[in-house]
Amino acid sequence: MSEFQLAMEWLQRGIELARQARWPASIALCLAQMGETLRRQGRIEEARKTLQECLQLLAQQPHSRTAALALNYLAHTEQDAGQSEAALQAFEALMQRALRADAKDLQIDAQLGLARTRLALGRPVEARRAAEAGLVLAEGQAEATIELLGVLGDIHLAEPARAAEALGYYRQALDC
């Protein structure tokens, strides 16, 4: 609930216990969650290092759910750092893993991330395709639908010929 400092304290305790017990899966999960918490605190470099450590630990299990979560968090970290190309690569890799695992939630996250990143790279047509694909996947999921409609509005604002359509997407998001 946005208590990131408290979350870090508990994650530190958890990772210490996991390391003492030599539980690699628990260590990796703690590292993934720590990376995301650090990102949300704005501690981007620490987040990146923590998430890379997690992914390195899971190199022998690249298809695990924890590895996919860590990749998702790393993609968002790169996005927050303004590293759009690195974010794009991470979201594309996430999409491949999510498809392989048939993880609909991660597919939605990947499409949303791809839409935002492609928009940041000045590729609105590709961004729109990703957002629309995400919207199909997110049917019945209000939070994801709202985010995707908002991104579609942003995408249309970036295309002068379609800017008038942006308001419709924003209104749809408000109606969800």
Side-chain angles (χ1 to χ4, degrees), residues 36-47:
E36 175 64 357
T37 302
L38 288 164
R39 178 187 77 85
R40 290 181 178 255
Q41 288 179 317
R43 297 162 60 184
I44 301 299
E45 282 307 312
E46 291 174 81

Side-chain angles (χ1 to χ4, degrees), residues 117-137:
T117 303
R118 288 174 176 157
L119 179 60
L121 289 168
R123 295 159 50 184
V125 173
E126 292 174 41
R128 187 172 57 253
R129 282 191 209 121
E132 288 170 348
L135 203 53
V136 170
L137 290 168

Side-chain angles (χ1 to χ4, degrees), residues 3-97:
E3 289 285 342
F4 300 120
Q5 189 56 42
L6 186 59
M8 282 300 294
E9 291 172 22
W10 281 103
L11 286 166
Q12 287 288 33
R13 289 181 191 175
I15 201 163
E16 287 170 15
L17 290 171
R19 284 186 170 146
Q20 287 172 6
R22 295 189 176 103
W23 290 343
S26 295
I27 294 168
L29 185 57
C30 284
L31 287 169
Q33 296 301 327
M34 284 177 74
E36 175 64 357
T37 302
L38 288 164
R39 178 187 77 85
R40 290 181 178 255
Q41 288 179 317
R43 297 162 60 184
I44 301 299
E45 282 307 312
E46 291 174 81
R48 183 183 288 126
K49 287 178 185 173
T50 302
L51 292 165
Q52 288 170 341
E53 179 184 350
C54 176
L55 289 168
Q56 189 172 22
L57 182 64
L58 293 170
Q60 300 302 316
Q61 303 168 1
H63 304 299
S64 73
R65 174 90 179 167
T66 301
L69 287 173
L71 188 57
N72 187 14
Y73 297 154
L74 181 61
H76 285 286
T77 300
E78 297 298 358
Q79 203 172 40
D80 288 357
Q83 299 298 315
S84 296
E85 286 295 338
L88 182 63
Q89 289 176 4
F91 281 123
E92 287 173 344
L94 175 63
M95 178 55 81
Q96 294 306 311
R97 290 183 190 192

Side-chain angles (χ1 to χ4, degrees), residues 16 21 49 134 151 165 176:
E16 287 170 15
K49 287 178 185 173
V151 170
E165 298 172 45
C176 284

Side-chain angles (χ1 to χ4, degrees), residues 144-164:
T145 299
I146 290 167
E147 286 188 73
L148 286 157
L149 288 168
V151 170
L152 279 165
D154 295 346
I155 292 165
H156 282 79
L157 277 178
E159 295 180 87
R162 305 187 82 163

